[in-house]
Amino acid sequence: MNRYQGVIFDLDGVLCFTDQYHYQAWKAVADKLGIYFDKTINNRLRGVSRMDSLEIILERSDRKFTTEEKEAIATEKNDIYRQLLHNMSSADLSDEVRNTLLALRNAGMKLAIGSSSKNTKFILERLGLEDFFDAISDGTNITRSKPDPQVFTMAAEFIGLAPEECLVVEDAQAGVEAAKAGGFDSAGLGEAADFATYAMKTFAELKGICIG
C-alpha cells in the first residue's frame, strides 16, 4: 500500500516556473510608482499572496496608499502578469514532472493543487493540465494565505482525505510551514528542502517517497 493516498502540489516553483513573469510584472508597477525593486526583494514574495506581496514592495515607498489604490496596483500587476503568461505552453511542463505525475496517478493516488495564486486554473490550462487534477484549491477559494494551512486543508477536503493521508509538495518555506500547521507531511524542493519532512533534489524523487 502507498505511504500516502493523496499528493497536494504547490504550483509555481514545483510544477512550473513563472517567477520571471511575476518579477517582470512587479518590476513594471514598482518602476511606475518610483519604488526600488530587485530580484532580492522579489525572493521575499515567493509563496506570498498578491496583496501581501504588494505590502512588501510598498515598504520602500515614502507615501501611504489607500486600500483602493493598493487594489488598483495589484490589479494592474495581475493584468501584466496574465499577459506574460500567454507565453507559456505545454512545453513549459518538463518530461520529469509529466512522467512523475502520471506514475503517481497510475499508482492510484489522488492528486490536487494547493496554490495561493488566483491564476492557477489559467496556468494549468497553458500547461495542458486543466483536467488532470482531482481537485484545485487556490487563491479563488481561500481567505488566508500561507503559512496559514487553509489552502492545503481545503485541498484535502476536496479529495476526501485527512491531512495525515496526504503529502504536500512545496518549494517555499512558507508553504512547508503551512503544511506542518495543517498536520501534513511535506516534500521540499529548493529552499523548502531544509524545512520539509522529505528533502528532494529532483521532482522525480516523489515516486520513491509516495510509491516506494
Side-chain angles (χ1 to χ4, degrees):
M1 186 174 170
N2 297 333
R3 190 175 303 173
Y4 300 100
Q5 294 181 48
V7 186
I8 303 171
F9 300 91
D10 177 43
L11 180 59
D12 202 5
V14 173
L15 299 182
C16 64
F17 298 90
T18 63
D19 280 2
Q20 73 271 28
Y21 302 138
H22 277 296
Y23 175 69
Q24 290 168 29
W26 280 126
K27 180 86 170 118
V29 296
D31 287 352
K32 184 176 176 182
L33 293 167
I35 298 171
Y36 180 78
F37 183 70
D38 62 18
K39 292 195 173 178
T40 302
I41 300 169
N42 189 62
N43 284 339
R44 293 176 58 198
L45 313 185
R46 294 175 68 240
V48 177
S49 72
R50 191 184 309 161
M51 295 309 294
D52 288 342
S53 293
L54 178 58
E55 293 294 344
I56 290 170
I57 291 169
L58 295 181
E59 287 172 1
R60 289 176 171 265
S61 176
D62 294 330
R63 60 166 289 204
K64 297 286 184 219
F65 292 82
T66 65
T67 301
E68 291 75 16
E69 286 174 324
K70 289 176 182 178
E71 288 172 355
I73 295 166
T75 298
E76 182 179 1
K77 180 267 175 180
N78 192 53
D79 289 343
I80 297 168
Y81 174 64
R82 281 182 67 91
Q83 280 302 117
L84 292 169
L85 286 179
H86 281 90
N87 296 321
M88 291 188 80
S89 72
S90 58
D92 288 287
L93 185 70
S94 72
D95 288 340
E96 179 189 11
V97 170
R98 188 190 309 276
N99 293 337
T100 302
L101 289 174
L102 288 171
L104 296 175
R105 166 57 44 79
N106 291 336
M109 308 198 73
K110 291 187 176 180
L111 307 178
I113 296 290
S115 169
S116 299
S117 174
K118 291 183 177 178
N119 295 298
T120 295
K121 294 179 181 70
F122 182 68
I123 293 170
L124 290 174
E125 184 183 319
R126 301 302 301 167
L127 294 172
L129 291 174
E130 63 266 37
D131 299 317
F132 185 81
F133 293 93
D134 297 300
I136 295 170
S137 178
D138 63 12
T140 64
N141 65 256
I142 60 170
T143 55
R144 300 183 298 278
S145 292
K146 303 169 190 175
D148 188 282
Q150 185 185 32
V151 72
F152 296 138
T153 55
M154 291 189 76
E157 285 175 21
F158 292 160
I159 56 176
L161 296 175
E164 58 269 21
E165 297 175 301
C166 301
L167 180 72
V168 166
V169 186
E170 264 287 350
D171 73 313
Q173 182 180 350
V176 171
E177 289 174 358
K180 285 181 181 173
F184 297 86
D185 283 352
S186 58
L189 290 160
E191 71 165 35
D194 292 336
F195 308 97
T197 313
Y198 307 97
M200 298 196 303
K201 288 188 170 61
T202 66
F203 191 84
E205 289 175 49
L206 266 180
K207 289 183 284 189
I209 295 169
C210 294
I211 305 170

